[in-house]
DNA sequence: ATGAAAGCGCTAACAT
DNA sequence: ATGTTAGCGCTTTCAT
């Protein structure tokens, strides 16, 4: 079985008896091809099973590829975003590729850089740990939309949730139930650096503000953890060994599941410690779980991010900042357990 | 802010006062560069912040990109595989890109094709719905490893779980508990076509065989569904309206969660209908869920797939077929409920 | 409407 | 050890 070399535009041109330029025009639907020519070329393409090499196209024009950088592929909220992004691309010539980072810090830069090196026509970056400067420079070369982070720039578009509002919803809900010993379980200090615009930074900041405003400054307790469920489980376990709060507000659902697991390992039920998450991932609504959480339309965010990219590719230059409204899904959270009856 | 064009190998060569070939050799760690030269070139690369364009490299040699095609990005088992794959790539020059298909049928071919068009140096395809012929042709051009499907070929490597053994574990477990009215909830007929080698095809085939061998041929009941939790929920709901089985063996955990959700909506507890899944996804072990499931080391599979690809790139030509052993995680499954006491 | 030809940024023979 | 040079498969002026 001879390993036949894949057909090139040259082969198609020869087969159809036309020039390479003509073939190129046909595959790009460019202006200036007669119906007759189009037909012959199309037939030749069929016959030879020709597929344009993306690398060669990318050298001159576009790669018809959009990249999305994800901090952590295990987080269902991110996969929701991807599902939305993918849906927005259905029927277009573009293909979505995902570059997973899966480690805190520098990995995000690496992944985004890898995307840029592959000459994608646009990049959506999910709350990466990079400086606005770095991002602006990148956005100068290729359209970029930042998803999640709140810092703005005229160089790139943003799609965000209203994290201040989401956190307000959570805190007021817990206050109304009567909680005051509320722990906030969140990511590393690097991630939540004040002013970074990172969603977790805002949630933390607002947690602090609401605790103080409610007069619970003395009950403020921030616990740091990593980026996956297992890290959250371990850090919650450590927390519980010290002092058991009445409620835990967790930075996102994936981490909340780790906290819930720790609670259960510690013999604590959700009636004893209320847990509230963020993202309203599918399993959160699962009857046996029933996690109270802040919903933000992930699919819509992903879809919107892609649209913004496509518009930039079409030529738009003024930045657009899109925001989705969060809503609180109240589920298992309850009033704090009354103090142990004495004697 | 002048939009300065990114540095090319030419710029680096000029800056370092050497030839392009020299720079090329340095970035590829190729043979034949003096330490002095290497140093000057490295300095120039730093100074100009040079990054090789992948498209240009791909036109001559390799793209240093490995692609993975995923049927459905929402399935946590697949993301486990990706995590393993990504881990195997850490420290190498290769970057992983994911092409999500997210729809049954033709989409898999599209996604794999898109990967090939992008000249990736290797492709791992997760149980795609394509003919062995098509795959062999592809494998002739680029290293391929099929993950999940059991059909073999000398053209490509495979990484599989032992689905016959996994299913045996499930069925014997259910038989031992005393079940005989066991429904099998699985994917479409297209996916489970006999002889396709698809994992779901094997699980179905073995379900049928074990039911017959146990003398329960009359209780065989196969229900078809789509590829996500929601589809499974709907189809299970329909099933329950007809006749309630004592146990449901579901093709994978994601679908099992849909079935569990339907059960709970129908007011049925897991004590009344035992559900067994496949893949032992993280949440399956979650206390409030506690889904009995077949474990197959997803990370290990992803990691192995990448290794096989890398070996092929290094020049290996004999095919390797790697299999991982499944084990049953027994959790919530119970004996069938005794018949309703009469009067 | 069509074609000829230059060139995108690399790598790999091949010289030196 | 280092440099020269010929392409890889496309897109895109620019002629015709």
């Amino acid at each position: 079985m001879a390993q036949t070399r894949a057909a090139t535009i040259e082969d198609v041109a020869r087969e159809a008896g036309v020039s390479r330029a003509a073939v190129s025009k046909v595959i790009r639907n460019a202006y200036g091809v007669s119906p007759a020519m189009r037909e012959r070329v199309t037939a030749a393409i069929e016959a030879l099973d020709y597929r344009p090499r993306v690398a060669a196209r990318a050298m001159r024009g576009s790669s018809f590829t959009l990249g999305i950088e994800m901090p952590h592929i295990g987080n269902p909220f991110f996969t929701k975003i991807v599902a939305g992004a993918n849906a927005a691309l259905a029927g277009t010539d573009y293909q979505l590729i995902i570059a997973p980072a899966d480690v805190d810090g520098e990995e995000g830069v690496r992944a985004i850089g890898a995307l840029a090196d592959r000459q994608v026509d646009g990049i959506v970056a999910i709350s990466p740990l990079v400086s606005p400067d770095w991002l602006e420079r990148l956005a100068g070369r290729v359209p970029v939309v930042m998803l999640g982070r709140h810092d703005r720039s005229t160089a790139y578009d943003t799609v965000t949730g209203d994290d201040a509002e989401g956190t307000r919803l959570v805190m007021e809900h817990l206050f109304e139930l009567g909680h005051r010993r509320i722990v906030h379980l969140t990511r590393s200090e690097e991630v939540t650096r004040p002013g970074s615009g990172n969603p977790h930074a805002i949630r933390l900041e607002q947690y602090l503000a609401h605790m103080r405003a409610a007069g619970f400054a003395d009950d403020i307790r921030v616990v740091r953890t990593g980026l996956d469920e297992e890290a959250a489980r371990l850090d919650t376990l450590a927390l519980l060994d010290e002092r058991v709060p009445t409620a835990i507000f967790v930075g996102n659902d994936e981490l909340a599941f780790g906290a819930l697991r720790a609670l259960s390992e510690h013999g604590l039920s959700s009636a004893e410690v209320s847990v509230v998450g963020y993202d309203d991932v599918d399993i959160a609504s699962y009857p046996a779980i029933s996690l109270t959480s802040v919903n933000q339309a992930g699919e819509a965010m992903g879809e919107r991010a892609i649209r913004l990219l496509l518009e930039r590719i079409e030529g738009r230059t003024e930045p657009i900042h899109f925001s989705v409204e969060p809503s609180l899904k109240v589920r298992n959270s309850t009033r704090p357990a009354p103090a142990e009856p004495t004697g």
Side-chain angles (χ1 to χ4, degrees), chain A residues 236-237 239-242 244 260-268:
Chain A
T236 304
L237 240 23
L239 158 71
L240 296 177
D241 278 342
E242 281 182 51
V244 177
L260 283 173
R261 219 188 262 260
L263 247 23
S264 127
E265 283 172 20
H266 217 269
L268 259 16

Side-chain angles (χ1 to χ4, degrees), chain A residues 2-306:
Chain A
Q3 164 72 7
T4 52
R5 169 184 126 304
T8 72
I9 199 171
E10 174 78 60
D11 301 324
V12 176
R14 200 178 317 109
E15 167 92 7
V18 302
S19 71
R20 291 180 353 235
V23 179
S24 177
K25 280 183 180 168
V26 169
I27 63 183
R28 284 176 297 126
N29 286 309
Y31 175 82
V33 273
S34 66
M37 155 131 292
R38 152 159 286 115
E39 196 171 333
R40 282 167 58 201
V41 170
T42 310
I45 288 175
E46 283 281 302
L48 300 179
D49 192 25
Y50 166 72
R51 312 201 43 154
R53 232 79 95 224
V54 171
R57 308 185 79 168
M59 290 208 61
R60 301 291 310 198
S62 23
S63 62
F64 296 99
T65 308
L66 264 24
I68 175 163
E69 176 265 354
M70 272 178 46
H72 175 42
I73 199 184
N75 187 328
F77 182 63
F78 297 154
T79 64
K80 239 191 217 180
I81 293 172
V82 172
N86 212 32
L89 247 29
T92 74
D93 281 340
Y94 289 87
Q95 168 70 29
L96 188 69
I97 67 178
I98 304 164
D102 257 317
V103 172
D104 256 336
E106 289 305 296
E107 271 304 289
V109 181
R110 241 204 28 119
I112 297 176
L115 252 17
D117 293 344
R118 273 151 193 82
Q119 266 145 288
V120 293
D121 296 337
I123 294 179
V124 7
I126 304 185
S127 301
L129 238 55
V130 300
S131 73
D133 279 24
W134 191 90
L135 218 57
E136 290 211 355
R137 230 170 316 134
L138 176 69
R141 295 201 197 299
V142 51
V144 169
V145 13
M146 268 267 321
L147 201 149
R149 250 173 54 177
H150 286 260
D151 55 298
R152 292 174 173 219
S153 158
T154 57
Y156 49 84
D157 303 321
T158 61
V159 172
T160 51
D162 187 339
D163 294 288
E165 170 65 6
T167 306
R168 189 185 66 77
L169 259 18
V170 171
M171 297 307 288
E172 294 204 339
H173 170 65
L174 290 174
F175 290 159
E176 269 166 28
L177 286 174
H179 292 276
R180 61 179 289 168
R181 271 185 17 237
I182 305 168
V183 165
H184 183 39
L185 178 62
T186 184
R187 303 265 312 265
S188 68
E189 310 226 358
E190 190 187 7
V191 173
T192 63
R193 189 163 26 77
S196 71
N198 182 288
H200 291 284
I202 310 224
R203 293 169 199 171
L204 166 58
E205 183 182 283
Q206 292 296 315
Y207 158 81
L208 296 173
H210 281 97
M211 287 296 276
R212 290 199 193 98
F216 303 158
D218 290 349
D219 292 298
I220 285 175
R221 179 81 194 276
V222 176
V223 175
R224 303 294 182 162
T225 190
L227 51 45
D228 62 12
E229 185 181 326
E230 179 59 8
R233 184 181 71 86
L234 263 18
D235 290 310
T236 304
L237 240 23
L239 158 71
L240 296 177
D241 278 342
E242 281 182 51
R243 181 168 187 245
V244 177
T246 67
I248 309 180
F249 167 39
V250 192
N252 71 38
D253 284 355
E254 195 188 8
L255 300 178
F257 292 131
L260 283 173
R261 219 188 262 260
L263 247 23
S264 127
E265 283 172 20
H266 217 269
L268 259 16
S269 78
S270 69
E272 294 166 285
V273 180
S274 287
V275 174
V276 178
Y278 210 108
D279 289 345
D280 191 24
V281 147
D282 286 347
I283 348 136
S285 66
Y286 199 87
I289 307 253
S290 208
L291 172 69
T292 296
S293 187
V294 178
N295 179 282
Q296 13 180 20
E299 285 95 344
M301 292 174 91
E303 195 190 313
R304 191 35 146 274
I306 294 298

